[in-house]
Amino acid sequence: MHDIIIVGGGPAGLTAAVYALRAGKSVLVIEKNAFGGQIAYSPKVENIPGTRVISGTEFADNFVSQALDLGAEVELETVTNVEKKENGFAVTTEEGNTYEAGAVILAVGVKHRMLGLPGEQELVGHGISFCAVCDGAFYTGQEVAMIGGGNSALQEALLLSEVCAKVTVVQNLADFTGEKKLAEALLEKENVEVCFSTLVDGYEQENGSLTGLRLRNDVTGEISRISVDGAFLAVGLMPKNDAFAHMADLNDWGYFDSAEDCVTRTPGLFVAGDCRSKRIRQVVTAAADGAIAAMAACRYLEQ
């Protein structure tokens, strides 16, 4: 039996592991895909305090190594259920294993919604990005597309317009769904072009990198093509919290309805990172959650 089981091996989960291990707790981290989370897809990361530039892969590798060096145990399995027991928790995986711990931290992250087009997954990190704050500077002086019309898309398109030669915003509806002031500010930009009622019909690539988009007007059916050096998807996020709704409250959008203290309605169960209800989802905010959740779990175990 471990002191703490952490479900999720992204920045929140790995930070929680580091803090809990340094507090003398035994820790098991269970990750279903690959350690590092979404940041591992970024070819370069330049907004981590104290680090000028690092690849997402290297950052993730360093994080995992740090946790392992401190004594973390890890398993690559998919957690399907968490249950409260008399003396702690039982964590069950799809692979048929059950692990026990005195406290559990859910750091399961979110998944970016994608368009589901052929070749899309392979282009992530090779022309397709999700975060203008993280990756926008890599396209300085180049032409990019922003796909989406909500607040996130408008905010990120504004950021991109400051560094890119041209930003083409592709919105599948006849108008933006984001705030009016953001829309007005974006439309005033001379290097921004908006394609309303337009869908991305396909990706064009060369040597494994994105080179353009095929577009289809949803009203006329007309097919067109634009050349781009990169495309940013802002068509929503998908929290993966339903399996734990019996233990922790969810808000209307499916995120864990927990405050900055990262606690849930189940004593001993904590949440951290992008899966939690919050305004800003970045590596540093995920790491902050991980530290808070770990310290809260340690206090719970010591009561």
Side-chain angles (χ1 to χ4, degrees), residues 212-252:
L213 303 177
R214 292 193 306 276
L215 305 179
R216 174 169 58 84
N217 187 288
D218 199 35
V219 177
T220 65
E222 179 184 357
I223 299 294
S224 60
R225 179 192 178 280
I226 59 171
S227 296
V228 294
D229 300 293
F232 289 78
L233 300 186
V235 293
L237 297 171
M238 300 170 59
K240 301 172 284 185
N241 301 332
D242 288 348
F244 314 108
H246 63 294
M247 304 284 287
D249 294 331
L250 306 183
N251 65 16
D252 292 340

Side-chain angles (χ1 to χ4, degrees), residues 109-216:
V110 294
K111 181 180 180 181
H112 287 283
R113 291 186 187 276
M114 301 179 73
L115 302 180
L117 297 171
E120 187 172 45
Q121 188 63 54
E122 292 75 15
L123 287 171
V124 173
H126 300 280
I128 292 181
S129 300
F130 302 97
C131 177
V133 175
C134 309
D135 300 336
F138 306 133
Y139 296 96
T140 298
Q142 301 183 57
E143 297 188 4
V144 301
M146 170 59 65
I147 303 169
N151 278 342
S152 295
L154 298 180
Q155 290 167 343
E156 300 222 331
L158 283 168
L159 288 173
L160 292 169
S161 71
E162 299 297 326
V163 298
C164 297
K166 182 180 180 181
V167 179
T168 301
V169 181
V170 181
Q171 165 66 323
N172 64 332
L173 302 176
D175 203 352
F176 292 122
T177 56
E179 296 176 5
K180 184 177 180 180
K181 287 187 177 181
L182 287 174
E184 291 174 346
L186 186 64
L187 292 171
E188 290 177 356
K189 297 286 186 177
E190 293 184 358
N191 63 335
V192 172
E193 179 180 343
V194 181
C195 299
F196 288 115
S197 300
T198 300
L199 303 171
V200 177
D201 195 59
Y203 297 108
E204 296 185 351
Q205 58 178 295
E206 186 175 331
N207 298 323
S209 295
L210 183 71
T211 58
L213 303 177
R214 292 193 306 276
L215 305 179
R216 174 169 58 84

